[in-house]
Structure formats: structure tokens, C-alpha cells
């Protein structure tokens, strides 16, 4: 692939990512304003759990099924701060849209 084409594709993918992030943030702001949802540490009860109360989720980083405990701030035990997959997983957990099994 030529350098020029590669730069063009990277620029287009970055712009698409930014546009997605803006739309996601606007959606969340609207939803939170409508419902008055201020507690972003609460995990929805609809997410499946095992007998010990751990969440049954599919890890974004490792793409495997796992059961994880959640800390007081609503983060799974496998959470790594600063990792984009982990950050997205926590956001999805709080939104109740994380992949489960």
C-alpha cells in the first residue's frame, strides 16, 4: 500500500472515531439528563452473575469469557487504568450493554 493511501485511510479512520465518540457522548448526556442518572458507579442488575455474585462478562482485551468481582467504584477486578478496552468495558458495564454469557 502506498504511503499516501495509508495516510488517507488513517485520517479517515481517526475522523470516524472522533465522530463516533461525539455521538456516543451526546447520547449519554441526553440519556443521563432525561433520567437524572448521576450515579455512574452502579452496575445494572440485569447483567448475569455467578453464584458468588461475580459478573459474567466477555473480556474485550482477551476476548474470553470470565467471571469478575466489581470494586466499590464499579470496576471489574481485571480493570487496567488507561487501557482503551478496559475503559470502554467499564463504560459499557455502567450502561448495561457489555457482552455477557
Amino acid at each position: 500500500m502506498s504511503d499516501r493511501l495509508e495516510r488517507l485511510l488513517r485520517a479517515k479512520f481517526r475522523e470516524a472515531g472522533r465522530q463516533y465518540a461525539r455521538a456516543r457522548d451526546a447520547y449519554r448526556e441526553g440519556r443521563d439528563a432525561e433520567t437524572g442518572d448521576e450515579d455512574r458507579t452502579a452496575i445494572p442488575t440485569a447483567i448475569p452473575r455467578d453464584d458468588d455474585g461475580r459478573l459474567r462478562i466477555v473480556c474485550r482485551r482477551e476476548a474470553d469469557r470470565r467471571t469478575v468481582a466489581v470494586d466499590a467504584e464499579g470496576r471489574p477486578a481485571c480493570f487496567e487504568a488507561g487501557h482503551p478496552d478496559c475503559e470502554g468495558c467499564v463504560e459499557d458495564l455502567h450502561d448495561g450493554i457489555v457482552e455477557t454469557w
Side-chain angles (χ1 to χ4, degrees), residues 19-95:
Q19 186 176 3
Y20 169 77
R22 285 191 300 268
R24 181 193 62 212
D25 293 343
Y27 168 78
R28 287 183 179 155
E29 281 181 25
R31 186 199 56 219
D32 292 348
E34 181 179 298
T35 62
D37 184 14
E38 298 299 324
D39 183 15
R40 298 300 295 155
T41 61
I43 304 292
T45 56
I47 296 177
R49 299 174 186 260
D50 68 0
D51 294 336
D52 296 325
R54 297 176 296 190
L55 300 177
R56 293 175 20 184
I57 63 172
V58 176
C59 176
R60 286 181 165 193
R61 277 177 47 188
E62 306 297 328
D64 64 351
R65 294 177 178 181
R66 57 177 65 177
T67 56
V68 292
V70 178
D71 67 10
E73 295 179 20
R75 297 179 303 208
C78 57
F79 176 78
E80 183 180 314
H83 194 285
D85 287 336
C86 291
E87 299 285 344
C89 179
V90 169
E91 290 177 10
D92 288 350
L93 273 174
H94 296 286
D95 292 341

